[in-house]
């Protein structure tokens, strides 16, 4: 981040740039004293990955998008969205297709303009949840057609 704070190193460049910064101690630990090859493709931290590849502006835009999403999301969606945000700090779920798809499903449904009516989710209505379940059923149908997905529940 210190080398290129404003523009970053470019999308997908973590894997290329990281080897220059590996210390001997980290290399020995991550390869079990060089018995195994360890070449990390990601930072395993989405926030760090975004800062390294996109620089400070990309990091700020990402955090701003998360803040806007949480502000507009119904309170009932905060749990999954905050869990995803916490996981992003330690496991890089944005690069994990199923986890990212579920988070983007919640995010997209949260930002849908039809949900801007005040109190829609707080008054006990099931409108939003029913729509989310419909989208989940559609996702299951698509996933069932994929050759590498078995028993998608």
């Amino acid at each position: 981040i210190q080398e290129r704070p404003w523009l970053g190193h470019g999308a997908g460049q973590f894997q290329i740039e990281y080897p220059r910064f590996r210390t001997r101690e980290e290399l020995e630990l991550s390869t079990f004293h060089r018995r195994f090859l360890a070449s990390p493709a990601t930072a395993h931290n989405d926030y760090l990955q975004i800062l390294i590849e996109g620089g400070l502006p990309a990091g700020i835009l990402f955090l701003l998008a998360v803040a806007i999403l949480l502000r507009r999301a119904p309170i009932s969606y905060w749990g999954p969205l905050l869990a995803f945000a916490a996981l992003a700090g330690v496991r890089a779920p944005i690069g994990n297709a199923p986890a990212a798809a579920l988070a983007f499903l919640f995010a997209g449904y949260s930002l849908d303009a039809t949900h801007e009516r005040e109190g829609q989710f707080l008054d006990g209505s099931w409108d939003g949840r029913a729509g989310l379940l419909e989208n989940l059923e559609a996702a299951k149908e698509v996933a069932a057609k994929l050759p590498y997905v078995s028993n998608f529940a």
Side-chain angles (χ1 to χ4, degrees):
I1 298 171
Q2 289 178 345
E3 273 188 5
R4 302 184 78 183
W6 298 111
L7 297 177
H9 289 276
Q13 294 300 303
F14 176 84
Q15 186 174 7
I16 308 284
E17 296 294 329
Y18 181 64
R20 295 187 305 125
F21 298 96
R22 293 182 86 176
T23 64
R24 177 180 292 273
E25 180 183 17
E26 186 272 331
L27 191 57
E28 292 292 327
L29 288 172
S30 65
T31 60
F32 294 98
H33 303 289
R34 300 188 187 248
R35 287 185 281 176
F36 302 100
L37 177 65
S39 180
T42 68
H44 292 101
N45 179 319
D46 285 329
Y47 305 111
L48 185 58
Q49 183 101 16
I50 289 168
L51 286 169
I52 290 169
E53 294 183 355
L56 289 173
I60 291 168
L61 286 173
F62 180 75
L63 292 176
L64 182 62
V66 169
I68 289 170
L69 174 65
L70 286 174
R71 186 174 185 279
R72 293 194 57 183
I75 293 173
S76 61
Y77 284 14
W78 282 21
L81 292 172
L82 289 174
F84 187 83
L87 189 59
V90 295
R91 192 66 193 136
I94 290 177
N96 178 318
L102 187 59
F104 293 139
L105 177 69
F106 271 97
Y109 203 72
S110 296
L111 295 177
D112 186 349
T114 61
H115 301 289
E116 291 186 24
R117 293 190 303 272
E118 187 174 336
Q120 181 172 352
F121 293 98
L122 299 177
D123 67 0
S125 74
W126 285 83
D127 294 341
R129 293 177 206 117
L132 181 62
L133 291 175
E134 288 173 16
N135 288 339
L136 185 58
E137 290 302 318
K140 285 181 183 180
E141 289 175 21
V142 171
K145 295 176 184 175
L146 298 174
Y148 54 84
V149 177
S150 63
N151 196 12
F152 181 76

